[in-house]
Amino acid sequence: MFEVLAAGGWLMLPIILCSIAVIAISIERYWTLNPQKIAPKHLLAQVWGWIKGNQLDGNKLRELKQSSELGKVLAAGLSNSRHGREVMKDSIQEAANQVIHDMERYLGALGTIAATAPLLGLLGTVLGMIKVFTAIMLQGTGNAGVLAGGISEALITTAAGLCVAIPAMMFHRFFQRRVDTLVVTMEQEAIKLVDALHSDRRVDVKAV
């Protein structure tokens, strides 16, 4: 295996580093973007129970904010709920923007690797073919070893770049979709809370 990697030339080093980054980011994001950790299903009902029982105070708000990303969004809205519907919505939006930014962390790097890895492989292919044609120009076509080495370098880097880029693209799409789904879920929960507190059409939070 080491001989194959070495045959790919110096461009194999950044490709290998990209593969390590893809694995690390994918594991970290899979652990972090757990729907049960980001947006617990019964959190809104619990918050509504606190409100109905007049138990919502500073300690409860701190507990809510530290519980999850959805908790941060709801806590931001509740902290400003007495100022009216629009102010509450603005507070929720500001908190949601920060939460979304945190959830999308490293996804840009994953997308960049997915786009860059094939280009590194293509660069290796070009450099390998340059070696082949240089060898032909200097030594003719009789030195099969030199020709095979250049062609091998070209093919190995191309394959390695694609082997990194394909999983990176798949993971990027997967995590981006998960983030989008979580954002929709948190938006729905926040709207329920706003409607329950400020709408003429009262919402039964426990029923939805």
Side-chain angles (χ1 to χ4, degrees):
M1 183 65 180
F2 178 77
E3 290 77 8
V4 174
L5 296 177
W10 65 270
L11 275 172
M12 288 299 295
L13 179 59
I15 292 176
I16 292 172
L17 293 177
C18 286
S19 69
I20 295 173
V22 168
I23 294 172
I25 293 172
S26 298
I27 293 174
E28 190 275 338
R29 287 292 88 185
Y30 186 82
W31 173 262
T32 301
L33 296 177
N34 184 340
Q36 292 300 319
K37 292 171 60 179
I38 299 291
K41 289 184 178 180
H42 304 295
L43 183 61
L44 182 58
Q46 181 183 21
V47 171
W48 187 244
W50 291 344
I51 296 172
K52 298 272 285 186
N54 292 321
Q55 299 174 341
L56 192 64
D57 54 16
N59 291 330
K60 290 293 186 183
L61 283 176
R62 282 192 293 272
E63 177 184 341
L64 178 63
K65 188 175 182 179
Q66 296 171 2
S67 65
S68 62
E69 275 64 27
L70 175 59
K72 293 179 183 178
V73 173
L74 298 182
L78 289 169
S79 298
N80 295 279
S81 60
R82 64 184 179 277
H83 298 299
R85 179 186 180 92
E86 294 304 317
V87 174
M88 184 178 181
K89 288 176 65 177
D90 290 341
S91 301
I92 287 174
Q93 185 61 55
E94 291 176 6
N97 289 339
Q98 181 60 49
V99 167
I100 294 170
H101 180 269
D102 292 339
M103 289 195 298
E104 291 180 338
R105 184 178 299 164
Y106 307 130
L107 294 189
L110 203 58
T112 300
I113 291 173
T116 303
L119 297 179
L120 291 173
L122 178 61
L123 179 58
T125 299
V126 172
L127 294 178
M129 297 310 297
I130 289 174
K131 287 184 178 180
V132 170
F133 288 114
T134 301
I136 292 175
M137 183 175 62
L138 296 177
Q139 304 178 23
T141 57
N143 193 338
V146 175
L147 299 181
I151 295 173
S152 175
E153 178 177 339
L155 296 177
I156 289 173
T157 53
T158 300
L162 291 174
C163 287
V164 173
I166 293 172
M169 178 62 72
M170 293 174 62
F171 283 125
H172 180 264
R173 294 287 178 84
F174 172 78
F175 291 124
Q176 191 63 62
R177 177 62 178 172
R178 175 165 289 188
V179 168
D180 292 343
T181 301
L182 289 170
V183 168
V184 170
T185 299
M186 289 191 292
E187 182 181 56
Q188 291 173 343
E189 297 293 273
I191 289 173
K192 292 174 188 175
L193 181 62
V194 172
D195 285 343
L197 292 176
H198 291 290
S199 177
D200 293 335
R201 176 179 58 85
R202 294 296 177 180
V203 177
D204 187 355
V205 174
K206 293 184 179 180
V208 290

